[in-house]
Amino acid sequence: MCLVLQANLVCSKVVSCIQSERQSLLQFKAGLFDRYGMLSSWTTTNCCQWKGIGCNKLTGHVIMLDLHGDYNYEQYSNDGNKFYISGEIHKSLMELQQLEYVNISKNNFKDIYIPGFFGSLRNLRYLDLSYCKFGGQIPTQFESLSHLKYLNLSWNDLDGEIPRQLGDLSNVQFLDLGNNLLEGSIPTQLGNLSNLQYLDLLGNSLKGKIPSQLGKLMNLQELYLGGYDDSDLTIDNGDHSG
């Protein structure tokens, strides 16, 4: 569509999505149970106009996937039917290599593990998987997300230890692993996150010494530590003389 404004020709162009990426999104949709029709717009030719999808206005690549749900705590705890979407996360998302923003928080992925292939989405800046009931361990493949600035995995059922590989997320500013089933010690490698401003490890079963390396995080503004038994965490004063 073109408009003539004060003798200047102004044209607006509707961005069209890349059809291979549209097919990848449809495969992803096929693995989901969409109780409330969140994905009802995912039928037209141009996936850039679908709800929850954002595209680069120049290239047409999908750069945003925002399908976050909405609920209160009681619904999260007691009624899985209140969640917008559930099911599995299809590996077809790997084809969306230009993704920068992914938010599928507040949905029901009970008994599903966080896919390791998220680590192949090298352009991710923002990843929110909170309040989803994900189980299993935090994928070590996240270490490849060198551009990531925001990572929220809170309020899931994640178990095992915090991967030391998270210390390789050199650009991360926000890291929330709170309210899971994580155990073991806090990795000293988290002290490498020089850009970190927010760190939440509350509500887990972490034990051992709080690494003195966390004291080197000069940009840190908010720090939340502790668990079901606060006595399980002690302060490491850096004295290892024996």
Side-chain angles (χ1 to χ4, degrees), residues 98-241:
Q98 300 304 312
L99 272 175
E100 299 178 6
Y101 181 105
V102 173
N103 185 351
I104 56 174
S105 64
K106 303 174 183 176
N107 288 295
N108 187 6
F109 293 103
K110 184 176 177 59
D111 299 325
I112 301 296
Y113 291 0
I114 295 175
F117 65 69
F118 273 121
S120 69
L121 300 175
R122 304 296 177 85
N123 284 297
L124 274 183
R125 271 69 170 171
Y126 185 105
L127 180 59
D128 191 345
L129 306 178
S130 61
Y131 290 92
C132 282
K133 297 189 176 182
F134 281 115
Q137 300 184 4
I138 299 172
T140 58
Q141 294 92 328
F142 279 180
E143 67 177 334
S144 300
L145 301 177
S146 59
H147 297 294
L148 198 65
K149 295 184 177 181
Y150 182 103
L151 178 59
N152 192 345
L153 305 179
S154 65
W155 291 98
N156 284 295
D157 297 320
L158 301 173
D159 56 27
E161 298 185 349
I162 299 174
R164 58 177 176 77
Q165 289 87 347
L166 293 186
D168 293 332
L169 301 178
S170 58
N171 284 305
V172 75
Q173 299 174 6
F174 181 103
L175 178 59
D176 192 345
L177 308 179
N179 294 285
N180 280 288
L181 305 173
L182 299 171
E183 55 189 11
S185 59
I186 300 173
T188 60
Q189 289 81 0
L190 295 187
N192 297 331
L193 304 177
S194 59
N195 290 303
L196 198 62
Q197 300 175 19
Y198 180 102
L199 176 61
D200 190 344
L201 304 178
L202 272 174
N204 289 289
S205 298
L206 301 173
K207 299 180 180 180
K209 293 183 177 181
I210 300 172
S212 60
Q213 288 84 348
L214 297 186
K216 301 176 182 179
L217 300 176
M218 303 306 295
N219 288 306
L220 196 63
Q221 300 175 17
E222 296 184 61
L223 173 63
Y224 301 96
L225 301 175
Y228 301 111
D229 186 351
D230 290 344
S231 63
D232 288 338
L233 284 174
T234 58
I235 296 176
D236 182 358
N237 60 14
D239 182 8
H240 301 289
S241 59

